[in-house]
Amino acid sequence: MPLTRTLARRLVNYQDSRCLGARLRRARLEPLLGMIQRLSAKGEPVRLLDIGGTEQYWRIVPESFLSEHRVEITIANPAPHKRDTGRGHFRQLKADGCNLSLCDDHSFHLVHSNSVIEHVGDWQRMRRFAAEIARVGQGYFVQTPHYWFPIEPHCMTPCFHWLPRPWQLALVQRFALGNWKQATNLDAAIATVDSARLLNTPMMAALFPDGELHYERIAGWPKSILALRQPPLS
């Protein structure tokens, strides 16, 4: 559907700092930046692990802020993104977010994850992902799209995630939706639909029982859920 492709370009094109998605993302990060400022006041570099992120994502934070607060960002992915350099404030870690065995307990001041947990797979993998975040981080900032927001954020199609599964599969085989290419067969359609499993409040509360849940809203609708755990300052 051309409309959903257009919406995806205009609303969630994060390389365009003027688009709605980029502006919302900057506002969403305010609690994380506050954590960094408090940690930095201790006079030590702030060690941050970003699971599933990219260096491009961090361009929404002024370089001067990262330098002033001596933020060291380790980006963990199964394979590094092509544009990531691992230089400056950044380091690369080849790892699955569900298995961070290379990282010691509480070895990072903060763990950050933005719109990743809904892509890791079934509930058991989500459990492992959340447990690893809580284990390696003294504090954390985890964001995921909210199941009860009426527009599915990956295919930009109203109510898509609330439809019966056969209807979802039929739609992705017939149309290119948002950021999703048109599926060429049923196997590809199933892989596309299963690539994102949205979560609601009870699910996030179960995954992060020691975190505080916050909401990002648009016109009163909960667009995303954030699980936050403040790192200790002592």
Side-chain angles (χ1 to χ4, degrees):
M1 293 182 183
L3 177 59
T4 64
R5 305 290 280 184
T6 300
L7 284 173
R9 289 195 301 270
R10 293 186 177 179
L11 298 182
V12 293
N13 177 14
Y14 295 115
Q15 296 185 15
D16 181 357
S17 62
R18 299 166 299 175
C19 83
L20 177 62
R23 296 200 304 270
L24 289 172
R25 181 177 277 181
R26 285 195 296 271
R28 179 194 307 156
L29 278 182
E30 287 301 322
L32 178 69
L33 301 184
M35 292 185 200
I36 291 172
Q37 288 174 319
R38 289 190 291 275
L39 287 165
S40 175
K42 297 167 61 177
E44 304 173 2
V46 178
R47 300 185 306 278
L48 184 148
L49 176 66
D50 180 7
I51 304 178
T54 65
E55 293 179 19
Q56 169 72 30
Y57 169 89
W58 289 98
R59 291 183 182 177
I60 60 176
V61 179
E63 199 279 336
S64 58
F65 179 93
L66 299 178
S67 296
E68 177 185 353
H69 298 289
R70 293 196 290 166
V71 185
E72 300 172 353
I73 302 172
T74 299
I75 299 179
N77 283 300
H81 287 266
K82 292 180 179 179
R83 295 184 180 180
D84 286 356
T85 64
R87 296 194 293 268
H89 298 284
F90 301 99
R91 303 291 184 273
Q92 299 295 323
L93 175 65
K94 186 176 181 180
D96 181 343
C98 298
N99 178 11
L100 297 172
S101 57
L102 295 175
C103 304
D104 294 332
D105 293 358
H106 299 156
S107 52
F108 291 91
H109 292 113
L110 290 166
V111 177
H112 167 276
S113 174
N114 184 81
S115 295
V116 175
I117 194 169
E118 71 271 16
H119 296 294
V120 302
D122 62 18
W123 180 249
Q124 292 308 312
R125 280 186 57 82
M126 289 182 183
R127 281 281 196 189
R128 292 197 294 273
F129 186 85
E132 286 291 77
I133 287 174
R135 180 183 68 81
V136 305
Q138 298 172 24
Y140 56 69
F141 175 104
V142 181
Q143 181 272 350
T144 191
H146 201 303
Y147 177 83
W148 290 113
F149 190 69
I151 298 177
E152 205 289 337
H154 306 95
C155 66
M156 299 302 294
T157 303
C159 305
F160 177 90
H161 47 307
W162 300 341
L163 295 175
R165 185 175 176 83
W167 294 14
Q168 295 176 340
L169 297 174
L171 282 171
V172 298
Q173 288 181 90
R174 186 168 182 181
F175 303 105
L177 301 175
N179 293 316
W180 289 347
K181 297 179 181 179
Q182 182 179 354
T184 56
N185 53 49
L186 181 59
D187 287 344
I190 290 172
T192 297
V193 170
D194 287 347
S195 67
R197 304 169 190 243
L198 301 187
L199 294 92
N200 60 18
T201 294
M203 296 169 78
M204 283 292 280
L207 291 169
F208 299 98
D210 61 350
E212 295 181 3
L213 299 188
H214 299 259
Y215 301 92
E216 177 186 30
R217 297 181 183 273
I218 295 180
W221 288 89
K223 179 182 179 293
S224 63
I225 314 173
L226 294 90
L228 309 179
R229 185 173 76 188
Q230 296 287 340
L233 297 179
S234 57

